[in-house]
Amino acid sequence: MLLRLRVSLPDRPGGLGQIARALGALGADILQVTVLERERGRAVDDFTVSWPGPVTTSEARERLSALPGVRVEGVWATKEVPGSALDYDLLMHVVSEPARGFATLVDALPGLCGAEWSVALADGAVRHASLAAPKKFELDLPEPPPRAATMDADKLRLMLLPVVAQGLHLVVARADGPVFHRAELERAARIVDVVAKLAARA
C-alpha cells in the first residue's frame, strides 16, 4: 500500500533520521522524501512510503504522532510512483500534441499532485475532466493568482489554477490529506504555465 505522510518536525540534525527509524520499525519502506519548507525552526516534509499490508490512515497518524516534537499534518493513500518523472512525461505528450495540451494536463494533474481528480472549467461548465472527476462541478472561482482552498461541504482540498489567456480554471481535488502546500501550488502553477505556452503554439 502506498501512502503519503506530511510531517512537521523540529529542523535539527537527526530529525529526519528519527522519522525514518520510526517508519522502519513499523515496517514501512520510504520511497521518497520531499522537503516542502524549512521555517522558524521547523521543517515540513512529505514522505511517500510503501506500507506492508493494510493500514488505516488513522493508525499511521497515531504511530508517528507519538514521536516527541512531531506533528502529522496528513496521511493519505496515493498512486503516485516516486521517481517516475511524471512531469517530464506530461510535457513530452504536450509537445507531441499541443492542441490537446490542456486535456492531457487535466488527465495528468491528479498523479502529479497526489490528488483524486481534476477538471478544466470555462464559463461555469466542465470542459475536460480526469477519470474520477464528477461530470458536473460548480465553484465560485477566485481571481488569479493560483491558490489552495477547502470546500467545507464536501471536505475537499482544492488547488485552483487559473489560465487567464485561455479563459480556463483548472481545479485539482483531493478528499484525504492536508490542504495543498504552497510548494505543491507553485510546482503545479509552473507546469500549467509551460503547458499554456506550448498549447498557444498549436
Side-chain angles (χ1 to χ4, degrees), residues 86-87 89-90 102-114 118 130:
L86 292 176
D87 45 359
D89 292 341
L90 161 68
F102 285 104
T104 302
L105 174 61
V106 169
D107 291 339
L109 278 171
L112 287 168
C113 301
S118 63
S130 66

Side-chain angles (χ1 to χ4, degrees), residues 7 15 18 35 74 97 99 101 114 116 125 141 175 180 190-191 194 200:
V7 179
Q18 177 188 25
V35 179
E97 289 188 78
E116 278 84 22
L141 294 167
F180 287 98
R190 285 195 298 271
I191 291 170
V194 172

Side-chain angles (χ1 to χ4, degrees), residues 17-115:
Q18 177 188 25
I19 301 290
R21 284 191 298 276
L23 288 171
L26 296 170
D29 183 16
I30 299 173
L31 304 177
Q32 180 172 289
V33 181
T34 303
V35 179
L36 297 176
E37 69 177 61
R38 296 177 69 188
E39 294 179 354
R40 298 183 295 278
R42 294 192 70 82
V44 177
D45 299 333
D46 269 5
F47 293 81
T48 304
V49 302
S50 174
W51 209 295
V55 61
T56 66
T57 56
S58 59
E59 286 174 326
R61 180 187 295 273
E62 287 171 14
R63 293 178 183 190
L64 283 178
S65 295
L67 297 172
V70 171
R71 292 195 306 263
V72 180
E73 297 188 355
V75 180
W76 68 105
T78 184
K79 295 178 182 176
E80 182 180 1
V81 179
S84 57
L86 292 176
D87 45 359
Y88 298 113
D89 292 341
L90 161 68
L91 295 176
M92 288 301 294
H93 284 295
V94 174
V95 167
S96 65
E97 289 188 78
R100 292 199 73 255
F102 285 104
T104 302
L105 174 61
V106 169
D107 291 339
L109 278 171
L112 287 168
C113 301

